[in-house]
Amino acid sequence: MSVDQKVDGSRRQLLLVTSAAGGVAAAAAAVPFVASLTPSERAKAAGAPVEVDIGKLAPGEMMTVEWRGKPVWIINRTKEMLDSLKKTEGEVSDPNSDKPMQPEYAKNETRSIKPEILVAVGICTHLGCSPSDKFKTGADSGIAADWPGGFLCPCHGSTFDMAGRVYKSKPAPDNLEIPPHKYLSDAKILIGEDGKA
């Protein structure tokens, strides 16, 4: 074996070891860089669907969850609450939900997939205030003797029925928004994804 072949063998071995070490270093440097390209937990929460357990939500009760930084109301409506929707039909500005404030599957009298469960964004369509629930009917509501129950925006007096439909001659131009949602089971809703399932 000549001296040149021994030197070439040593160089080749040094080149392989150096290349392997460089590859490991490049991979180690790339991992944090690639990880920084994925959305943060805060970003995921801002736009990600929210799973909600409604199994313990009794009739007549409301719960509030946050989706995309907005309050979303989930109301388990009683038979009386649902019956009030027929009475308010002539008093609301968009009784058939013709304006696109809800997915197609919620474009019905109750504005919901299941009649008893209302899922609505709790932000007034006038100036973005948060209406309060006024489920008590009549004079007990503090609104009017013939109040059938619903929501009141305290900022400018917009009122909404139990389907989130705005009453006529009120500052709010539209019904409350119905977010995309679907049922994962009888007791679980996924807010942020479309579907009737």
Side-chain angles (χ1 to χ4, degrees):
M1 207 179 211
S2 72
V3 175
D4 289 338
Q5 288 176 334
K6 286 183 183 177
V7 172
D8 284 343
S10 297
R11 283 185 181 169
R12 185 171 292 132
Q13 194 175 21
L14 180 63
L15 182 63
L16 288 173
V17 170
T18 306
S19 297
V24 169
V31 168
F33 176 72
V34 171
S36 73
L37 298 177
T38 61
S40 67
E41 290 302 315
R42 184 175 179 192
K44 286 179 191 173
V50 176
E51 189 174 316
V52 183
D53 185 356
I54 60 167
K56 295 181 181 174
L57 189 62
E61 287 186 352
M62 177 174 94
M63 67 187 299
T64 304
V65 297
E66 187 176 335
W67 171 69
R68 291 188 174 176
K70 302 175 187 176
V72 175
W73 298 333
I74 303 168
I75 301 122
N76 188 351
R77 296 179 284 197
T78 63
K79 183 183 180 324
E80 294 78 20
M81 290 173 167
L82 289 170
D83 290 344
S84 75
L85 298 179
K86 290 208 183 295
K87 298 173 190 168
T88 60
E89 217 166 73
E91 300 172 32
V92 295
S93 64
D94 186 13
N96 299 319
S97 300
D98 292 325
K99 292 184 181 177
M101 297 301 292
Q102 64 281 317
E104 270 306 308
Y105 51 81
K107 189 177 177 184
N108 52 45
E109 180 183 81
T110 59
R111 299 184 77 222
S112 59
I113 297 172
K114 294 183 178 183
E116 66 278 6
I117 304 294
L118 174 67
V119 179
V121 175
I123 296 177
C124 181
T125 55
H126 179 226
L127 293 176
C129 303
S130 186
S132 54
D133 61 277
K134 294 291 185 180
F135 295 164
K136 289 186 179 180
T137 59
D140 289 343
S141 67
I143 296 178
D146 62 346
W147 176 249
F151 306 94
L152 166 72
C153 184
C155 299
H156 298 100
S158 293
T159 48
F160 302 87
D161 72 359
M162 288 305 301
R165 301 178 299 186
V166 67
Y167 281 84
K168 293 177 183 174
S169 303
K170 297 294 179 176
D174 298 314
N175 296 337
L176 294 177
E177 178 188 355
I178 304 297
H181 63 283
K182 66 181 179 180
Y183 285 83
L184 300 175
S185 68
D186 285 340
K188 291 206 186 276
I189 297 176
L190 187 66
I191 299 169
E193 283 189 15
D194 273 322
K196 277 186 137 179

